[in-house]
Amino acid sequence: MAPVSILLFPVKKFIYHVKIDKFKDNKKRSYLVLSNHQTPLDRFFISSAIKGDIYFVASEDLLSNGAISHFIDFAVGLIPIKKQTSDIHAVRECIRLGGEGATIVMFPEGNRTYSGEMCYIKPVPQIHF
């Protein structure tokens, strides 16, 4: 069990009442995970379920919170993206990391949803390479 998972075990069990099943990956390949975003700890819950290198696409705002940002980046790995834009640098980083076998996780809504209902997702123009 990773150090972050050990620290968050009581939070997962007694506050959120979740049991996280491990994702069984027999092929050792990269994945793109799209998830709704309900709690501040979603990144850690997903990291608990998937083995291997995982990177989360996150707004640059998250990386401007000093020590907390460094901890989150260390614990789960972040790919910064500019909010409400088509950030080609983030796209290139996702392609590079995916090519190296990493799993990329995105919360397409960009914000947390407290009810579980989907929020508005801004349409993205197609990018051709």
Side-chain angles (χ1 to χ4, degrees):
M1 196 179 273
V4 173
S5 293
I6 292 169
L7 292 173
L8 290 176
F9 179 78
V11 173
K12 289 187 288 190
K13 184 164 178 89
F14 300 112
I15 294 176
Y16 288 102
H17 307 287
V18 296
K19 178 184 180 288
I20 298 172
D21 295 326
K22 297 287 184 185
F23 174 68
K24 306 282 191 277
D25 177 18
N26 296 329
K27 299 199 174 24
K28 304 289 183 207
R29 57 185 167 184
S30 59
Y31 291 92
L32 174 62
V33 177
L34 302 175
S35 175
N36 68 341
H37 194 9
Q38 291 188 283
T39 76
L41 300 176
D42 291 337
R43 290 172 176 83
F44 300 105
F45 294 162
I46 292 170
S47 293
S48 298
I50 301 172
K51 286 184 183 180
D53 294 333
I54 303 173
Y55 291 87
F56 292 81
V57 176
S59 73
E60 290 179 323
D61 300 356
L62 187 60
L63 292 168
S64 62
N65 294 327
I68 297 251
S69 296
H70 291 295
F71 171 74
I72 293 171
D73 192 25
F74 167 77
V76 296
L78 299 175
I79 299 170
I81 190 168
K82 294 177 183 155
K83 265 193 164 187
Q84 299 299 319
T85 65
S86 299
D87 189 343
I88 193 68
H89 298 292
V91 172
R92 285 183 181 149
E93 186 69 1
C94 289
I95 292 170
R96 182 185 71 77
L97 291 168
E100 293 175 1
T103 293
I104 308 296
V105 180
M106 299 173 98
F107 302 107
E109 298 165 293
N111 295 306
R112 285 199 306 255
T113 170
Y114 298 101
S115 67
E117 294 291 320
M118 297 296 286
C119 297
Y120 174 76
I121 300 173
K122 180 183 172 186
V124 178
Q126 291 185 350
I127 300 172
H128 299 282
F129 295 97

